[in-house]
Amino acid sequence: MKIIVTGGAGFIGSNFIFHMLNAHPEYDIICIDALTYAGNLSTLKSIMNHPYFKFYRADIADREAIYRIFESEKPDVVVNFAAESHVDRSIENPEIFLRTNIMGTAVLMDACRKFGIQRYHQVSTDEVYGDLPLDRPDLFFTEETPIHTSSPYSSSKASADLLVLAYHRTYGLPVTISRCSNNYGPYHFPEKLIPLMIANALNDKPLPVYGEGLNVRDWLYVEDHCRAIDLIIHNGKVGEVYNVGGHNEMRNIDIVKLICKELDKPESLITYVTDRKGHDMRYAIDPTKIHNELGWLPETKFADGIKKTIQWYLDNREWWEEIISGEYQNYYEKMYTNR
Ligand code: NAD
Ligand code: TYD
């Protein structure tokens, strides 16, 4: 089996590659990544010489480059993680989100049609369902919940999902889609809530909480997401959507306080800043379908996962310090100074 993994130099894609090389040592894994600001070759350093791993630097929206790779590699399965993934950046500059997340998905699926494929899997997000109100804890996103997006990011991901389903219906492309809740774990880029707060706390810098910090996210340890995708590409039904989430809802402020506690840093570092535009209040996944059909259940409890994650950031300072010492500084200044 030969699997193309796009976006494999990013957070979840890299964790998925490590998972697959471990769980299926006989599979060939081909990573395609454009190495944008979010992609890091140092993340893949340990497997660059692995006999069953190969890396191509290419943009998924570059049709010629993608066709060339498909023609020479002839993959059996494609798992598309490549995306612009940060909501705040999408609010600043939507265009690149449309190009990568929508056009890139179309190019990959055209390549699958042209060269043949057993499965195209689209890694999507619970954000396509919009948000839920805080005063209705009884409500959850199911696969039947209508698409109702809030940000340019979630709109671009929802557009891609619609295209994927259209390619299945129109061309019979064998597709599956997973819509997962917020992930956390190793190699998470430090622009996102959990790694940003860990890095800032370790540097005794202010911890910028948007609004009142009452927004709720449903956190899943990244390895549990990777196992879910592994199950879906092997046993999932073609044409189907699977929600992935671990019933672990947390308010932002409680996560930030927990990080302070674990790192023995004072809560006085917490700074409330201007809220995100259009900020989604609550995400909460109902994972009944993937549990019933594929037997998936999360294995890592948040209390353990957050400890492991914090320990990883303590043990791998050079990985994130290199990131935050570069172009990231301009980003941080633009987004957080006088906010
Ligand atoms: P990330 O930003 O850490 O990584 C994205 C990767 O894609 C990077 O390596 C980047 O270089 C690459 N990339 C970007 N544009 C590209 C292009 N045009 N061509 C080729 N490669 C390109 O993102 P992530 O958090 O690992 O998310 C991966 C996927 O999972 C995304 O599709 C995202 O929408 C989805 N997702 C993320 C979460 C989450 O909590 N992070 C939750 C659910 C779904
Ligand atoms: P984020 O990690 O960007 O994921 P998403 O917006 O895709 O869920 O943000 C998670 C939550 O944390 C979200 O409610 C916004 C909030 N947040 C902050 O309060 N401060 C920050 O500096 C960041 C990056 C996020």
Side-chain angles (χ1 to χ4, degrees):
M1 173 91 82
K2 189 183 270 194
I3 305 188
I4 282 189
V5 178
T6 69
F11 166 44
I12 310 176
S14 60
N15 278 283
F16 180 73
I17 290 173
F18 299 143
H19 166 86
M20 293 302 278
L21 288 172
N22 205 24
H24 307 281
E26 70 286 11
Y27 286 8
D28 284 305
I29 306 291
I30 314 288
C31 174
I32 300 179
D33 198 295
L35 299 179
T36 67
Y37 80 91
N40 235 303
L41 264 194
S42 72
T43 300
L44 300 173
K45 198 171 53 192
S46 64
I47 53 165
M48 270 305 182
N49 294 321
H50 192 291
Y52 291 98
F53 177 74
K54 202 192 258 185
F55 179 84
Y56 287 94
R57 182 173 191 173
D59 176 349
I60 58 163
D62 179 344
R63 192 172 290 275
E64 272 177 36
I66 293 302
Y67 282 13
R68 234 180 289 125
I69 296 170
F70 273 66
E71 189 169 20
S72 68
E73 294 295 347
K74 302 196 172 46
D76 303 298
V77 172
V78 172
V79 183
N80 181 25
F81 291 90
E84 288 293 332
S85 68
H86 192 34
V87 172
D88 292 323
R89 287 186 192 253
S90 83
I91 294 167
E92 293 300 305
N93 177 19
E95 194 173 338
I96 183 70
F97 286 73
L98 310 186
R99 179 182 146 82
T100 293
N101 299 3
I102 306 174
M103 278 310 299
T105 297
V107 167
L108 285 172
M109 290 193 297
D110 286 340
C112 291
R113 289 176 57 215
K114 189 171 163 71
F115 297 100
I117 199 83
Q118 288 172 27
R119 179 69 63 84
Y120 174 87
H121 182 75
Q122 178 73 0
V123 181
S124 186
T125 163
D126 60 355
E127 300 193 28
V128 302
Y129 299 121
D131 66 349
L132 297 164
L134 291 182
D135 61 356
R136 289 294 307 273
D138 55 313
L139 296 181
F140 296 90
F141 299 136
T142 73
E143 290 79 2
E144 272 69 53
T145 301
I147 300 281
H148 187 77
T149 56
S150 312
S151 69
Y153 163 68
S154 55
S155 305
S156 68
K157 293 295 290 184
S159 306
D161 282 14
L162 294 176
L163 267 182
V164 173
L165 296 173
Y167 271 56
H168 173 60
R169 164 114 186 209
T170 307
Y171 307 116
L173 195 71
V175 306
T176 38
I177 296 177
S178 51
R179 294 182 180 146
C180 189
S181 58
N182 287 59
N183 286 211
Y184 68 102
Y187 299 108
H188 203 179
F189 195 85
E191 67 188 350
K192 306 281 170 60
L193 178 76
I194 289 181
L196 184 146
M197 296 300 168
I198 296 172
N200 280 18
L202 286 172
N203 287 331
D204 297 306
K205 285 179 60 180
L207 307 176
V209 170
Y210 299 167
E212 294 177 90
L214 302 180
N215 308 64
V216 169
R217 297 293 183 263
D218 183 359
W219 294 93
L220 185 71
Y221 193 64
V222 63
E223 171 66 15
D224 282 326
H225 185 191
C226 295
R227 276 192 309 105
I229 296 172
D230 185 355
L231 275 174
I232 295 168
I233 59 178
H234 286 97
N235 304 328
K237 272 199 222 117
V238 162
E240 294 284 317
V241 173
Y242 292 90
N243 282 356
V244 184
H247 280 305
N248 182 63
E249 292 179 51
M250 303 269 297
R251 300 190 309 178
N252 295 341
I253 187 64
D254 295 329
I255 295 209
V256 178
K257 285 184 177 167
L258 182 62
I259 289 171
C260 288
K261 187 160 163 259
E262 291 290 333
L263 290 173
D264 202 16
K265 297 288 180 181
E267 286 184 9
S268 57
L269 286 175
I270 294 173
T271 317
Y272 293 93
V273 301
T274 305
D275 210 350
R276 174 185 281 173
K277 292 189 183 86
H279 199 170
D280 281 339
M281 284 315 300
R282 170 176 171 247
Y283 302 144
I285 281 276
D286 176 353
T288 305
K289 178 174 173 180
I290 189 167
H291 174 60
N292 287 349
E293 286 189 18
L294 305 180
W296 178 87
L297 274 178
E299 283 177 358
T300 301
K301 291 198 176 63
F302 188 77
D304 302 327
I306 194 71
K307 280 200 174 74
K308 272 202 279 188
T309 302
I310 291 174
Q311 194 56 48
W312 188 89
Y313 281 84
L314 284 166
D315 295 341
N316 293 274
R317 279 191 93 115
E318 71 292 352
W319 182 86
W320 56 269
E321 276 176 348
E322 196 182 321
I323 292 172
I324 65 173
S325 66
E327 174 57 28
Y328 180 87
Q329 283 188 358
N330 297 333
Y331 166 80
Y332 198 88
E333 218 165 277
K334 182 171 162 210
M335 303 300 271
Y336 292 96
T337 306
N338 301 324
R339 179 165 180 158

